[in-house]
Each structure stands twice: as structure tokens, then as C-alpha cells.
Amino acid sequence: MSDPGTGLAQRHLAVVGLAREAGALALRYFHDRAALGTTMKGAQDFLTVADGAVETLLRRRIAEAFPGDAVLGEEGGGAAAERLWIVDPIDGTANFARGEPHWCISIGYMQAGVPEIGAIFMPVTGEFYLARRGHGATRDGAAIRVAATAEMRMATVEIGWSTRRPLGDYVGLVRRTMEAGANAKRAASGALGIAYVADGRTDAYTESHINSWDVAAGLVIAGEAGAWTNDFFSGDGLAGGNPVLVCAPGIVAAMRGICGL
Ligand code: IPD
């Protein structure tokens, strides 16, 4: 694999070990619910001891392997840098805290402002999504591709929700999506929601506001699997979040109209 001094191949390889080690630690907490110490950061915004422990582990391992790299994480924060890892130690924390298996470790890597690598690991099922820009996307080593769905009446769309935007935004998105004939659902992990579009399990993921650590890995994976994605990192996307739309090509026009993106 050519890697003219950028270190991307090295990081592409390293991210697999990072995600697997983080996933193993998170899984130990998942199976020891008494140790979870669940608290609330805000309404419907869960935090467990595992979130902090997994992010601390990721930060330590990245610093050991790539001492010059910076980290932006959901729990510890961070800022833009030339070589930047964007991590969500546990995405789908509400599911995790309630004992539901739909959660993941999400690790993105961005160089000079360009999202280059994405890894999403779902420890309970063992499914591992991986992509490097220009090199395709895989699940458990096998190439993945978005669905060929071309009609909204055959489409399934996941619509993410948080209290960061007024309820009317969410209800409006659900209504317009369903009025267009699609099945609307919500499974409460933005990272996995985007990975599922990449994998052809759903046809679109959208949310009126989401943070960069939820989407950094998924946007690389989905782009490499043939999805249309909005320019999430425009403006203040990295630090402050943005709306997101990730979509199978056949329903892009319909979904862009519905989302206003
Ligand atoms: C949340 C999940 C959820 C999405 C929210 C995120 P967290 O992240 O990805 O699906 O709708 O916008 O904040 O708290 O589980 O890491």
C-alpha cells in the first residue's frame, strides 16, 4: 500500500487494534452492570464510568503509538490539529447503560482537515467496519456497498434525535420522511446508523444536529461504500457539530429535499 510519508497506512492498521482493545474494555463493563455508575449529563444524555475509562485508554494508546497526534473525544474534548483522532468511546451510551447491545466504539482519523480513516466496532456482535479514503470500506474484511434502493416507498431511513434541537425539528423530519413513503426508525447510535447505510441495511441516516465524534468514522466508511454525504465538517462542524445526511445514491434527491440539505 503506497503511503508517501503520510503515515496513513500505519494508522489504518493501528486503528484496528485500538478499537478492539477499547471494545474489550467496554464489553467488560457492559457485562458487569453493577460497575457502570450511570449518571446523566443532561436530559436523555447518559454517562457511564465506561465512557471515561474507554476514552482514557484510547488517548493513552494513541499517545504511545503516535506521540505527535492530537485527540478530540466526546468526554475529554480537544481541538483541530494537523493529525487528529476523533473518538467516541461508546456511541449509543443510552443503549449501553440499559443493557441493549446496539452500541459501538467509533474512531475517526483526520489529516490536514481531511477525514482519512474510520473504524466502528460493535463489541457485542463482533462486527467491525473499517475504511480508508480511496481504499474502500469493509465489514469484517469483506467489501460493503450501499443499497440500490431508488424509491422512497421501499426505503428505510434512520432519524437520530437528541435534546440539542427542538422536538418540532425531529417530528417534522419523521413526518416528511413517512409522508414520502419511507419507513422511519431510530436505534440510538449515530455511528452505527451511518455504518448501516454503508452496509445497505438502511438507506439513509439523518439528524438535525450531531457531534463530530459521532460521525467522523462513519462518514469515511459510508463515503467509501458509495453513499452521498453532506459536507458535515463545513463551518464549525468539528467543534460544534452540524446536521448530517448520509444516503444511498438512489434517494439522495428525495432525502435532500426532506432534510433541506
Ligand atoms: C448519541 C447517539 C445518538 C444520537 C445523538 C448522540 P452518545 O451519542 O449517537 O444516536 O442521536 O445525537 O449524541 O451520547 O450515545 O455517544
Side-chain angles (χ1 to χ4, degrees), residues 120-148:
I120 293 178
F121 179 42
M122 194 183 179
V124 177
T125 62
E127 288 183 325
F128 199 118
Y129 291 97
L130 180 64
R132 176 179 164 191
R133 188 171 66 91
H135 291 67
T138 58
R139 174 179 27 92
D140 301 334
I144 53 171
R145 201 72 202 152
V146 288

Side-chain angles (χ1 to χ4, degrees), residues 162-176:
S162 79
T163 55
R164 296 183 297 271
R165 285 289 179 272
L167 178 60
D169 289 10
Y170 180 75
V171 173
L173 265 177
V174 172
R175 188 189 319 107
R176 292 192 297 279

Side-chain angles (χ1 to χ4, degrees), residues 45 74 88 90-93 160-162 164 188-190 205 207 209-210 214:
D45 195 0
E74 174 167 18
D88 191 342
I90 296 172
D91 185 62
T93 305
W161 169 81
S162 79
R164 296 183 297 271
S189 161
Y205 183 89
E207 185 162 345
H209 176 272
I210 197 161
D214 297 313

Side-chain angles (χ1 to χ4, degrees), residues 14-74:
V15 77
V16 177
L18 285 171
R20 287 202 182 281
E21 190 183 0
L25 176 59
L27 200 55
R28 287 204 292 281
Y29 279 102
F30 186 70
H31 290 310
D32 181 10
R33 299 181 46 70
L36 271 189
T38 305
T39 54
M40 302 302 287
K41 289 193 276 188
Q44 294 297 334
D45 195 0
F46 289 75
L47 178 67
T48 74
V49 169
D51 294 83
V54 173
E55 185 164 320
T56 300
L57 173 70
L58 284 170
R59 286 179 182 272
R60 188 184 326 128
R61 290 290 182 256
I62 291 167
E64 285 163 3
F66 307 104
D69 291 8
V71 178
L72 171 66
E74 174 167 18

Side-chain angles (χ1 to χ4, degrees), residues 155-219:
T156 290
V157 174
E158 181 168 354
I159 305 173
W161 169 81
S162 79
T163 55
R164 296 183 297 271
R165 285 289 179 272
L167 178 60
D169 289 10
Y170 180 75
V171 173
L173 265 177
V174 172
R175 188 189 319 107
R176 292 192 297 279
T177 301
M178 297 186 79
E179 280 171 356
N183 167 36
K185 67 172 210 175
R186 175 171 181 264
S189 161
L192 283 175
I194 294 172
Y196 278 20
V197 178
D199 204 0
R201 290 176 174 175
T202 62
D203 301 298
Y205 183 89
T206 189
E207 185 162 345
S208 52
H209 176 272
I210 197 161
N211 288 304
S212 59
W213 46 80
D214 297 313
V215 303
L219 289 173

